[in-house]
Amino acid sequence: MAKKPGSAGKSGKPKGNSGRGDGARMMATRVKTASGRKVGSTLWLQRQLNDPYVLKAQADGYRSRAAYKLVELDDRFGFLKPGLRIADLGAAPGGWTQVAAQRTGAVSGKSPPIIGMDIQEMDPIEGAELMLLDIFAEDAIPLIQAALGGEADIVLSDMAPSTTGHKNTDQIRIAGLAEAAYDVAKQLLADDGIFIVKVFQGGAPPDLLAELKRDFRQVRHVKPPASRQGSPEMYLVATGYRGVRPALG
Ligand SMILES: C[S@@+](CC[C@H](N)C(=O)[O-])C[C@H]1O[C@@H](n2cnc3c(N)ncnc32)[C@H](O)[C@@H]1O
């Protein structure tokens, strides 16, 4: 699988691109249903245009409103510290990787690795290395280990499948991604490492939760404020890795 190295601008702090300050008054935007556009799409567009996190992400230079979920998790738990090695699974378009690189003060080529990977291409991020990679690929783990140059202190997974609209199918695919994320994470994590993973509908699949409780000192279910109230997503924050690395099958 091709690997796309990251580089980017100098500061590591994303530049604002809307020119609008946080305190600026914002007018609610109404979207007319265009012929051919479904009502659901129109509501989505209207919600995007009026979502304060979307507007803030534009002002702060983040590529996604999702960036604030990691900002809020880190504000609460304080895990992003200078010098840490981080793997971000399902990173596109790159909001979490931007936050991880900034908050650890990463400088491309000079500091310990911050690796963002996804099946979708991403533009370069200062301080991070980006990989075009399906975490289900046979060689995914050795490729990530090689990019990290060893272990990871933190493994993040905000991975989500493209939804089918069929509730049970989506549920199974989401649970499968969370389990796959941990299969990768336990090959990467250093002692006392941290694993953060997106889960849905009342928490992790029971087997995964049991495994995490065995392998980490503390496991919490958290819904950061930036996660939409209507969304069933939440995050598992598992700290203090004490698991035994399984042999690669
Ligand atoms: C919600 S988005 C991540 C948003 C990101 N955290 C941010 O802040 O910009 C979920 C991502 O998971 C990725 N994904 C889904 N399945 C994947 C897989 N098997 N391997 C790698 N990435 C995957 C999708 O391509 C998508 O970009």
Side-chain angles (χ1 to χ4, degrees):
M1 185 71 59
K3 190 173 130 186
K4 185 185 167 201
S7 61
K10 280 238 177 269
S11 73
K13 180 163 168 40
K15 292 190 177 74
N17 53 10
S18 77
R20 185 188 277 151
D22 286 349
R25 271 182 54 196
M26 288 172 276
M27 303 285 287
T29 307
R30 296 194 64 192
V31 179
K32 284 187 191 156
T33 307
S35 58
R37 189 192 291 141
K38 291 189 184 142
V39 174
S41 312
T42 304
L43 289 176
W44 178 87
L45 185 57
Q46 193 158 309
R47 189 178 64 180
Q48 283 293 106
L49 293 172
N50 294 299
D51 182 334
Y53 283 106
V54 172
L55 300 173
K56 191 163 160 47
Q58 285 165 3
D60 290 348
Y62 287 127
R63 296 177 185 179
S64 60
R65 76 183 292 293
Y68 295 102
K69 299 174 195 174
L70 187 61
V71 164
E72 289 167 357
L73 289 172
D74 185 49
D75 284 349
R76 179 162 165 195
F77 299 109
F79 46 83
L80 292 174
K81 300 199 174 84
L84 294 186
R85 303 157 295 175
I86 301 175
D88 182 12
L89 317 182
W96 280 32
T97 307
Q98 287 180 294
V99 172
Q102 277 173 33
R103 290 201 164 195
T104 56
V107 178
S108 290
K110 293 199 177 142
S111 28
I114 310 291
I115 313 287
M117 70 217 70
D118 204 289
I119 48 178
Q120 299 185 51
E121 294 255 4
M122 287 175 274
D123 290 330
I125 294 172
E126 167 58 22
E129 186 176 337
L130 305 178
M131 299 172 75
L132 187 60
L133 184 71
D134 184 340
I135 60 121
F136 289 102
E138 222 172 89
D139 54 354
I141 291 167
L143 281 174
I144 302 167
Q145 283 168 331
L148 283 167
E151 298 177 315
D153 302 297
I154 304 179
V155 177
L156 306 169
S157 172
D158 192 26
M159 279 194 297
S162 44
T163 48
T164 64
H166 184 266
K167 203 175 155 203
N168 288 349
T169 308
D170 290 342
Q171 194 68 40
I172 290 164
R173 292 171 67 184
I174 288 160
L177 276 180
E179 282 165 344
Y182 189 51
D183 284 343
V184 172
K186 61 191 169 194
Q187 294 293 342
L188 304 177
L189 277 175
D191 277 353
D192 212 30
I194 293 171
F195 177 53
I196 296 180
V197 62
K198 188 207 288 277
V199 293
F200 279 86
Q201 296 288 12
D207 289 354
L208 175 60
L209 189 57
E211 208 182 343
L212 293 179
K213 284 186 169 167
R214 181 196 67 200
D215 291 351
F216 290 85
R217 264 191 283 285
Q218 194 159 28
V219 180
R220 302 175 181 91
H221 282 91
V222 184
K223 187 163 177 80
S227 175
R228 290 191 170 102
Q229 281 315 302
S231 157
E233 78 174 6
M234 59 174 72
Y235 293 86
L236 281 185
V237 178
T239 52
Y241 184 63
R242 56 183 176 192
V244 177
R245 184 165 301 152
L248 270 178

